[in-house]
Amino acid sequence: MTLQFPSIQSFFEKEIPVKKDRTHAADLQIDMNDGFSEEEVEAALRPTLHRWNPRNEYEDSDISSLVPGPGCRALQGRVVNFYQQQTLSKKPQAARGCLKIVIKDDTGTLMVRLWYAKIDYKLRLGQLVSVWTPHISTSDLGSLSLQGTSLVTSIFPERDSSCYFMVQDNSDTGTLCKTPLGYVDGKQLASLMTLKSFVEGGHEVDDGKILVCVKSIGGRKKLIDKKGNPIEKVDVNVFDDTSQATFTLWNHVTDSVASWRPSHTILLITSAAFRDGGRPGISMTSTTQVEVDPDMRDAEWLRAFAKRMTKKEHVNQPFPEDGMRALRSPVATGTDGNKPVFDIETATTAQNRILFNIADIDEFVRASPSGSHPLFYNPQAPLRGTAETYTGYLNVLVTELSITRLYQRKMLCCTECCGVPLYTNTLTTTCKQCDTEIPLRLNPRLIGSLLDETGSLAGGKLIWSAHAWEQLLGRTAAQLVGSSAHALRYLEQRMLFLRMTLLFGWSAEVGRLVVLGVSM
């Protein structure tokens, strides 16, 4: 009898086609379990939300106390420079890139090589960060010459559970790690020079420092480099009391300008690159360090200087917030903290209402810039126990108006944003620098010269309240910008050489006459 060997097909069962049931498939998908918990899947898909649980104890250390070698250290400092380095590896476990970050505390600087695969770290200059690392090493000669620091740590939090990197956005009080290296209160910081001295040759000094204030922030520009890669650029105009320059930022560093405020943010720049292309320009290199709002007396003086310059140069200095009953401060609000500086009700119903002329106001302000001249009437001084704000009346004649001219030039309303003047014939506009919708106020240059028997006031030097504008023009700001050219021309002709009485207020904090009301 012949032996019969089984065929290959006999080892496989015959497949029977089954119709797909969507409900059954959905149940199977729910019941399937791959052995991972929901927390582990969430940590893998969204690493930024994953909480780090350290297994070792980390010693809180200053950067100056670090020594090369193993050891679990916890560090804290502020970002003074960083740039990104892409990797070309296509391996699944390989890092997608590396952020080379220079952090600084009050004692020294440290370079952190932060490797990442999925996490997108949103870094900005001046951010407070915390680093947990198990090892500190010395940088090689090339890194030392480029970074200006001799210590470095390399961490990969997504692959190594013994290290971690955290940006302290929510817990940053703005006071930690703000003191420049080598600064002693009452003494000038070493290698600190003015912007004019830096432009005229100081940029050749090693570790030269300049202290500047942000004047305006330009728009974000997208360019193409020589290799065909897209890059971003932002020009920031900076100044001090001697000169002005353009500070250029590139790529990821451009995100830092989002938190900078014109005429307020102070930058201490060390080892900046200089270029002279007509207008002085500075930029960042790998050795540059930028400290945002450093804790030093020179920074406070420069911020006060910028504030005074803003009052002189602002195209439309804002009226005190919340109308005539605002501009509150701990000194000027009294014991209950609710008394306003400019109180129109008290000023209009007071027993002593004094009529001034322009010469009197000029004499009093020049004799006592703080506003404490005894001839000024201050109806609120007895309530607050101080004499810093005053109100009175001023009778003037309108000799010049520019309503029609400003309407034709689309300048009926104006304001400033990011240090750049904005003009339009509407009450709102979008700032091209920060893409934010900005409310506008009526242009104070609608009213030209005002004069009386003793002097005159130039146009645009007064701060008008919305209530005063409505009393003067007989219409609201929305009605004015919606009027036709013929109606505005008629209004201008009717108001020319009109005599009116202004209820004004003066405060040393504002620095200009504030018009609270108008009566014909």
Side-chain angles (χ1 to χ4, degrees), residues 210-286:
I210 53 175
L211 189 69
V212 294
C213 180
V214 175
K215 183 177 182 181
S216 63
I217 302 174
R220 190 183 299 268
K221 300 179 181 179
K222 295 184 178 180
L223 307 174
I224 303 296
D225 61 6
K226 297 180 180 179
K227 298 182 180 179
N229 300 322
I231 56 176
E232 292 185 351
K233 170 187 174 183
V234 171
D235 289 331
V236 181
N237 294 322
V238 296
F239 72 99
D240 64 0
D241 60 325
T242 61
S243 183
Q244 300 183 16
T246 301
F247 184 30
T248 303
L249 302 177
W250 298 90
N251 294 330
H252 293 80
V253 188
T254 57
D255 296 333
S256 305
V257 302
S259 58
W260 294 358
R261 296 166 52 189
S263 301
H264 186 271
T265 301
I266 305 298
L267 305 177
L268 177 61
I269 308 176
T270 305
S271 302
F274 173 75
R275 70 181 187 280
D276 189 5
R279 178 183 175 87
I282 56 178
S283 59
M284 293 183 61
T285 64
S286 57

Side-chain angles (χ1 to χ4, degrees), residues 222-403:
K222 295 184 178 180
L223 307 174
I224 303 296
D225 61 6
K226 297 180 180 179
K227 298 182 180 179
N229 300 322
I231 56 176
E232 292 185 351
K233 170 187 174 183
V234 171
D235 289 331
V236 181
N237 294 322
V238 296
F239 72 99
D240 64 0
D241 60 325
T242 61
S243 183
Q244 300 183 16
T246 301
F247 184 30
T248 303
L249 302 177
W250 298 90
N251 294 330
H252 293 80
V253 188
T254 57
D255 296 333
S256 305
V257 302
S259 58
W260 294 358
R261 296 166 52 189
S263 301
H264 186 271
T265 301
I266 305 298
L267 305 177
L268 177 61
I269 308 176
T270 305
S271 302
F274 173 75
R275 70 181 187 280
D276 189 5
R279 178 183 175 87
I282 56 178
S283 59
M284 293 183 61
T285 64
S286 57
T287 60
T288 305
Q289 296 183 9
V290 180
E291 302 177 45
V292 181
D293 292 329
D295 185 11
M296 53 189 303
R297 289 190 179 183
D298 291 336
E300 297 176 359
W301 179 89
L302 184 57
R303 185 178 290 110
F305 172 79
K307 185 178 180 181
R308 293 193 300 269
M309 294 296 296
T310 302
K311 289 182 179 180
K312 296 179 181 179
E313 299 178 358
H314 201 290
V315 296
N316 193 355
Q317 186 173 340
F319 191 80
E321 190 179 355
D322 295 333
M324 294 161 290
R325 309 185 68 86
L327 194 60
R328 297 179 174 89
S329 64
V331 177
T333 53
T335 56
D336 57 356
N338 294 321
K339 293 297 182 181
V341 172
F342 294 129
D343 193 341
I344 187 174
E345 183 179 355
T346 304
T348 54
T349 59
Q351 295 182 355
N352 299 325
R353 286 173 285 180
I354 304 177
L355 178 65
F356 294 90
N357 55 46
I358 297 178
D360 294 335
I361 298 176
D362 181 75
E363 178 185 354
F364 298 158
V365 173
R366 291 179 184 275
S368 181
S370 62
S372 57
H373 197 282
L375 294 182
F376 266 108
Y377 170 64
N378 183 4
Q380 296 170 302
L383 299 177
R384 297 193 307 268
T386 183
E388 291 186 352
T389 60
Y390 304 89
T391 57
Y393 289 87
L394 183 64
N395 190 265
V396 293
L397 187 69
V398 181
T399 60
E400 183 182 356
L401 292 169
S402 303
I403 301 178

Side-chain angles (χ1 to χ4, degrees), residues 47-68:
T48 55
L49 303 179
H50 179 56
R51 293 184 178 180
W52 178 60
N53 296 318
R55 300 178 181 178
N56 302 319
E57 293 185 0
Y58 291 79
E59 179 184 357
D60 294 333
S61 305
D62 295 331
I63 294 179
S64 61
S65 64
L66 297 178
V67 293

Side-chain angles (χ1 to χ4, degrees), residues 23-34:
T23 304
H24 181 67
D27 294 339
L28 290 177
Q29 186 176 1
I30 294 176
D31 295 338
M32 289 176 60
N33 190 357
D34 55 3

Side-chain angles (χ1 to χ4, degrees), residues 155-166:
I155 59 176
F156 197 173
E158 298 176 58
R159 299 286 185 266
D160 186 2
S161 61
S162 64
C163 58
Y164 197 66
F165 184 88
M166 178 183 293

Side-chain angles (χ1 to χ4, degrees), residues 128-190:
L128 182 66
V129 298
S130 298
V131 180
W132 290 265
T133 178
H135 189 273
I136 299 294
S137 60
T138 57
S139 58
D140 54 344
L141 181 59
S143 299
L144 175 62
S145 61
L146 290 176
Q147 299 296 334
T149 178
S150 59
L151 297 178
V152 61
T153 180
S154 182
I155 59 176
F156 197 173
E158 298 176 58
R159 299 286 185 266
D160 186 2
S161 61
S162 64
C163 58
Y164 197 66
F165 184 88
M166 178 183 293
V167 178
Q168 304 286 357
D169 280 336
N170 298 328
S171 59
D172 185 9
T173 59
T175 57
L176 297 176
C177 306
K178 287 279 191 175
T179 305
L181 297 180
Y183 174 73
V184 178
D185 191 15
K187 297 183 180 180
Q188 184 177 359
L189 184 63

